[in-house]
Amino acid sequence: MSQSVGTDSAPAGARAPVRPVSGDLYAEVRTFYARQMRRVDALDIAGFAATFTEDGEVVHAGGQRQRGRAEMIAGMRANLPRYRDIAVRHWFDHLLIETDPVDEDTLRVSYYTLVTQTDRDGRVSFQPTFTVEDVLVRRDGRLLTRSRVIHRDAPVEQG
């Protein structure tokens, strides 16, 4: 079974048609993200950072860049007070997965993300939506994130 994918028309990460990947690889990538996001949503900062390569990098929508696990952990710890008394959930969908034509252990993944926050009374708020571009690599048989670039969604310019 393979994923049929057409041309990515999103402004961020727009590319030529993506070659289909196997159903097994698609499921593996979805499972990787499910585990990665459950760690961050549970505030398991070290566990989340461990899903990145040692020199992994995140470029946030505001332009701030974190390189390496230690910087990621420090940045996340500094933001912990924002998450007091709320449950955060990251929702990913519309994954486009592309294998690297030169290195079979490298994947380029683009997806949409929605973040919800639920307070103690059960009220849910939605955060802005984003398009994310990841480079995943396979090391010792498991997937890790080598780089993540986060783009805040904005209306498409009409010309």
Side-chain angles (χ1 to χ4, degrees):
M1 176 177 164
S2 51
Q3 168 197 18
S4 296
V5 182
T7 302
D8 177 2
S9 61
R15 293 193 176 116
V18 176
R19 292 179 298 153
V21 298
S22 72
D24 288 344
L25 181 59
Y26 187 79
E28 180 184 15
V29 170
R30 296 268 324 179
T31 301
F32 168 78
Y33 285 123
R35 289 184 175 137
Q36 184 184 59
M37 289 301 104
R38 284 174 187 252
R39 287 178 173 167
V40 77
D41 290 345
L43 304 179
D44 175 7
I45 294 170
F48 174 75
T51 67
F52 284 76
T53 60
E54 191 64 44
D55 62 345
E57 173 176 84
V58 177
V59 180
H60 296 274
Q64 56 279 47
R65 180 181 307 261
Q66 295 171 325
R67 286 191 179 106
R69 291 178 183 163
E71 242 181 70
M72 286 179 210
I73 290 170
M76 290 171 61
R77 282 199 177 122
N79 283 312
L80 278 176
R82 290 177 37 183
Y83 301 104
R84 184 172 292 132
D85 295 325
I86 59 171
V88 177
R89 296 293 179 259
H90 290 76
W91 307 91
F92 290 1
D93 204 4
H94 299 292
L95 279 78
L96 294 176
I97 303 168
E98 183 176 8
T99 57
D100 187 294
V102 176
D103 179 4
E104 66 183 25
D105 289 332
T106 298
L107 303 171
R108 290 176 183 12
V109 185
S110 174
Y111 53 91
Y112 300 152
T113 182
L114 172 69
V115 178
T116 60
Q117 296 179 343
T118 305
D119 69 15
R120 291 195 180 278
D121 295 325
R123 287 185 299 264
V124 177
S125 64
F126 295 90
Q127 301 306 301
T129 59
F130 296 87
T131 299
V132 181
E133 296 175 53
D134 282 355
V135 175
L136 303 182
V137 294
R138 189 175 304 282
R139 298 290 186 260
D140 299 322
R142 69 184 194 119
L143 292 175
L144 296 169
T145 306
R146 182 171 63 204
S147 68
R148 173 166 293 163
V149 179
I150 304 167
H151 306 272
R152 185 172 178 172
D153 292 337
V156 174
E157 294 291 325
Q158 295 184 17

